[in-house]
């Protein structure tokens, strides 16, 4: 069932667990994630970056593909289809118009006032259509394609101002995590996370979930994180298995066999993360 992310994240906040956002890259990714989460009876957020949407053909193709899979595979868990790091108001509106149930507007490269202005515009459009909105304050390091450490930690007052003035449903404050593989140890500011959680009372989002150890993940969930984004970890697990398969089976050319040789790695990673994220569930 395709839903927005409000109820699943508010339940997670109430009961001290986190909903996984797994980013999808293609049909197989979406299928494997949906199957694994359905088996685990875990709600899931399917994250789609602008680049991934373009790669798959566009927002409509992604929406139709996910809807088709939910129907054909008899997926009964709540699923949110979420635009990850929407870079413009237009991009968010386009995703919404094509059936996405949740969007992130990432105006974190602008001044706080400009970030608020852009985010507010997206929230107005989205909420009229029952779509949830995530925003970013500070700057999370790295991008989908580039590993950098250009982190700007979020300031609590800025978070309060943005949430009060825009009415976003959940917030990604930059707290030291980066996208992609970490160079060295991640320095996640748990104390600041707790303070922001207490000041806001809405679900918080942790980007860059790849490479953060289990203890920090659990501490983050205890400190208000209700949505954890994972992308690279699934890619690495899949690629390692496919590489091994091709090495051992150099005569195979059927794309279904090649692509599917990474299926178990995706599913195992999804199951491990899902169980970790709900291990302290109070419900
Ligand atoms: P990773 O690729 O580091 O897991 O980050 C994913 C993410 O935060 C998507 O927004």
């Amino acid at each position: 069932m395709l839903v927005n992310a409000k109820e699943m994240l508010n339940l997670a906040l109430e009961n001290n667990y986190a909903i996984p956002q797994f980013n999808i890259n293609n049909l197989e990714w979406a299928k494997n994630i949906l199957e694994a989460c359905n088996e685990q009876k875990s709600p899931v957020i399917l994250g789609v970056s602008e680049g991934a949407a373009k790669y798959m053909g566009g927002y409509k193709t992604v929406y139709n593909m996910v809807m088709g899979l939910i129907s054909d595979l008899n997926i009964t868990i709540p699923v949110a289809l979420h635009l990850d790091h929407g870079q413009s108001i237009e991009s968010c509106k386009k995703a919404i118009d094509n059936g996405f149930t949740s969007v992130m507007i990432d105006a974190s490269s602008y001044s706080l006032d400009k970030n608020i202005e852009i985010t507010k515009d997206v929230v107005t459009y989205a909420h009229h259509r029952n779509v949830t909105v995530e925003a970013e304050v500070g700057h999370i390091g790295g991008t989908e394609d580039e590993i950098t450490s250009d982190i700007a930690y979020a300031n609590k007052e800025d978070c309060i101002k943005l949430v009060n003035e825009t009415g976003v449903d959940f917030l990604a404050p930059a707290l030291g995590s980066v996208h992609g593989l970490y160079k060295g140890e991640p320095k996640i500011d748990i104390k600041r996370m707790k303070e922001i959680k207490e000041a806001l009372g809405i679900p918080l989002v942790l980007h860059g979930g790849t490479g953060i150890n289990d203890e920090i993940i659990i501490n983050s969930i205890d400190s208000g994180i209700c949505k954890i984004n994972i992308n690279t970890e699934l890619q690495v697990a899949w690629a390692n298995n496919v590489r091994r398969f091709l090495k051992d089976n150099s005569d195979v050319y059927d794309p279904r066999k090649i692509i599917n040789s990474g299926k178990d790695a995706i599913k195992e990673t999804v199951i491990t993360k899902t169980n970790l994220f709900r291990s302290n569930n109070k419900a």
Side-chain angles (χ1 to χ4, degrees):
M1 189 182 34
L2 204 59
V3 294
N4 70 30
K6 198 174 184 78
E7 192 179 336
M8 62 171 90
L9 289 179
N10 284 339
L11 275 173
L13 180 63
E14 251 171 60
N15 294 299
N16 204 52
Y17 61 91
I19 302 288
Q21 173 185 310
F22 295 115
N23 283 45
I24 59 171
N25 297 284
N26 57 21
L27 170 80
E28 289 80 1
W29 234 261
K31 182 169 176 262
N32 299 161
I33 293 166
L34 286 173
E35 281 176 343
C37 288
N38 204 49
E39 280 161 25
Q40 295 299 300
K41 299 203 178 347
S42 167
V44 67
I45 296 170
L46 298 179
V48 184
S49 67
E50 289 181 356
K54 197 167 163 203
Y55 172 81
M56 287 182 268
Y59 295 128
K60 189 171 276 314
T61 304
V62 175
Y63 169 78
N64 285 328
M65 176 183 81
V66 169
M67 287 301 279
L69 288 171
I70 289 174
S71 168
D72 282 343
L73 302 174
N74 297 317
I75 301 295
T76 53
I77 48 161
V79 178
L81 183 59
H82 177 83
L83 174 65
D84 190 28
H85 292 283
Q87 294 296 312
S88 64
I89 297 170
E90 293 67 39
S91 185
C92 291
K93 287 185 176 173
K94 204 166 168 189
I96 294 168
D97 291 346
N98 283 290
F100 278 51
T101 56
S102 188
V103 292
M104 174 186 190
I105 173 69
D106 177 1
S108 64
S109 57
Y110 296 99
S111 67
L112 180 67
D113 286 343
K114 187 79 184 160
N115 188 349
I116 290 174
E117 185 190 317
I118 294 171
T119 302
K120 209 166 158 180
D121 203 332
V122 173
V123 170
T124 305
Y125 194 82
H127 282 182
H128 273 121
R129 291 158 181 82
N130 197 27
V131 168
T132 40
V133 181
E134 172 182 343
E136 177 172 326
V137 171
H139 186 66
I140 297 160
T143 67
E144 193 186 9
D145 305 312
E146 198 189 353
I147 299 166
T148 61
S149 49
D150 53 337
I151 310 165
Y153 284 78
N155 166 297
K156 184 176 84 178
E157 305 311 322
D158 290 353
C159 294
I160 296 172
K161 188 164 190 256
L162 183 133
V163 169
N164 285 346
E165 292 187 19
T166 63
V168 279
D169 302 283
F170 33 101
L171 183 74
L175 291 164
S177 60
V178 297
H179 297 105
L181 300 173
Y182 286 85
K183 294 177 186 155
E185 279 295 302
K187 294 188 181 62
I188 314 289
D189 192 339
I190 299 281
K191 184 170 168 276
R192 193 186 293 234
M193 189 184 280
K194 241 182 216 149
E195 287 167 6
I196 293 174
K197 178 222 172 170
E198 264 143 39
L200 299 183
I202 64 168
L204 300 183
V205 181
L206 181 66
H207 281 248
T210 297
I212 300 183
N213 72 39
D214 292 1
E215 194 187 337
I216 300 178
I217 292 284
I218 296 294
N219 284 342
S220 300
I221 295 171
D222 284 341
S223 309
I225 293 293
C226 302
K227 170 176 178 279
I228 302 178
N229 295 3
I230 308 257
N231 182 25
T232 308
E233 198 157 337
L234 292 191
Q235 296 183 344
V236 171
W238 175 84
N240 284 342
N241 273 23
V242 172
R243 239 178 244 117
R244 206 174 309 126
F245 176 81
L246 285 172
K247 193 163 165 272
D248 296 345
N249 300 276
S250 54
D251 54 341
V252 172
Y253 49 82
D254 181 341
R256 289 171 297 184
K257 290 190 179 142
I258 297 171
I259 297 171
N260 253 353
S261 65
K263 177 179 81 179
D264 290 347
I266 293 181
K267 285 185 134 183
E268 277 161 25
T269 309
V270 166
I271 290 170
T272 305
K273 295 294 166 187
T274 306
N275 285 333
L276 173 67
F277 296 172
R278 60 185 179 185
S279 53
N280 280 355
N281 183 354
K282 289 195 297 204

